[in-house]
């Protein structure tokens, strides 16, 4: 009894710390390390303090991004950005990748003109017909992709306990079951690996 009370108290903190840890680790490994290695090779190639240079690289990357934000808010920065986009749009390989990445970042980032919002939580047969998974409808306009897909929707199925990645599944509308819970409640179920299930009492309180 006391163990489960302690678990109920500590689990939200543990999961929150885990998510923050994985996010920082991703930035540290993919941003801090490359910049730190570059700075070390220029300033002090004989240094053996890899961790220190990685931290310096991470801080420098944050400062560069912050400075770019200030620059792009100015008139000159907007002109430079427009010129950069023209160059990228004319490059054979980049012009097929950059617009997609730009549109996706516009959905995710708060400063984007569009906002990423899951429309509704649903239940679909995934990864097999014998099992079901919680997903979120992300688009109902997939008929333009191919004839015969007018009755299909795009569903994103996050992974537990870190919903940063998942699976993009195209499902027939008749095969999805709409859930009577909110997006936030569905996300809590996924992050907690099914431990936190909304009850009638908790929903009535809200």
């Amino acid at each position: 009894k006391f163990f489960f009370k302690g678990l109920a108290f500590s689990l939200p903190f543990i999961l929150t710390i885990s998510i923050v840890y994985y996010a920082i680790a991703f930035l540290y490994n993919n941003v801090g390390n490359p910049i730190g290695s570059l700075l070390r090779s220029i300033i002090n190639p004989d240094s053996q303090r890899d961790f220190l240079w990685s931290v310096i690289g991470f801080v420098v990357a944050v400062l560069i991004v912050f400075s770019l934000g200030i620059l792009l808010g100015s008139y000159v920065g907007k002109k430079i950005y427009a010129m950069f986009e023209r160059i990228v749009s004319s490059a054979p390989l980049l012009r097929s990748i950059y617009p997609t990445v730009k549109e996706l970042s516009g959905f995710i980032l708060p400063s984007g003109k569009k906002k990423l919002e899951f429309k509704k939580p649903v239940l679909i047969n995934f990864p097999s017909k014998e099992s079901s998974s919680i997903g979120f409808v992300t688009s109902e306009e997939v008929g333009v992709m191919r004839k015969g897909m007018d009755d299909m929707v795009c569903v994103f199925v996050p992974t537990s306990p870190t919903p940063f990645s998942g699976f993009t599944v195209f499902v027939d509308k008749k095969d999805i079951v709409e859930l009577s819970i909110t997006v936030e409640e569905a996300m809590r179920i996924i992050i907690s690996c099914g431990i936190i299930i909304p009850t009638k009492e908790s929903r009535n309180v809200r």
Side-chain angles (χ1 to χ4, degrees):
K1 180 179 178 180
F2 292 108
F3 173 79
F4 286 107
K5 283 186 177 180
L7 183 64
F9 173 79
S10 59
L11 187 61
F13 294 99
I14 295 173
L15 291 176
T16 301
I17 293 173
S18 299
I19 293 173
V20 173
Y21 170 79
Y22 283 114
I24 294 177
F26 176 82
L27 294 175
Y28 176 83
N29 293 325
N30 295 277
V31 178
N33 279 340
I35 294 180
S37 299
L38 177 62
L39 292 175
R40 182 180 62 178
S41 63
I42 296 174
I43 300 174
N44 188 3
D46 298 327
S47 176
Q48 301 297 322
R49 298 179 178 179
D50 296 339
F51 175 77
L52 176 62
W53 284 105
S54 296
V55 172
I56 294 175
F58 180 78
V59 174
V60 170
V62 172
L63 293 176
I64 291 175
V65 172
F66 184 76
S67 302
L68 284 174
I70 297 176
L71 175 64
L72 293 176
S74 64
Y75 175 79
V76 177
K78 292 177 181 178
K79 290 292 184 181
I80 295 175
Y81 179 70
M83 182 177 65
F84 170 79
E85 282 205 319
R86 286 196 297 269
I87 295 174
V88 172
S89 299
S90 61
L93 180 60
L94 296 179
R95 67 186 178 190
S96 61
I97 301 174
Y98 177 75
T100 303
V101 177
K102 179 184 176 183
E103 186 174 356
L104 181 61
S105 63
F107 275 107
I108 297 174
L109 298 178
S111 59
K113 295 181 180 179
K114 299 180 180 179
K115 186 179 179 181
L116 179 62
E117 291 184 348
F118 295 130
K119 295 183 178 180
K120 51 192 172 184
V122 296
L123 205 64
I124 65 171
N125 291 329
F126 182 84
S128 65
K129 292 183 178 180
E130 291 75 24
S131 59
S132 299
S133 299
I134 293 179
F136 301 95
V137 176
T138 55
S139 177
E140 298 181 3
E141 301 175 357
V142 299
V144 295
M145 297 173 55
R146 181 183 177 186
K147 291 182 179 180
M149 295 184 67
D150 295 333
D151 295 329
M152 302 188 75
V153 296
C154 184
V155 178
F156 173 67
V157 181
T159 54
S160 297
T162 51
F164 300 116
S165 62
F167 302 90
T168 302
V169 187
F170 294 95
V171 188
D172 198 301
K173 292 180 181 179
K174 64 180 178 61
D175 293 329
I176 67 174
V177 178
E178 294 189 18
L179 300 175
S180 57
I181 58 176
T182 65
V183 172
E184 290 76 15
E185 289 172 332
M187 194 62 74
R188 290 192 194 104
I189 295 174
I190 294 169
I191 294 175
S192 67
C193 300
I195 296 176
I196 302 176
I197 303 292
T199 61
K200 291 182 178 180
E201 289 77 10
S202 65
R203 303 195 76 193
N204 289 334
V205 169
R206 288 192 295 273

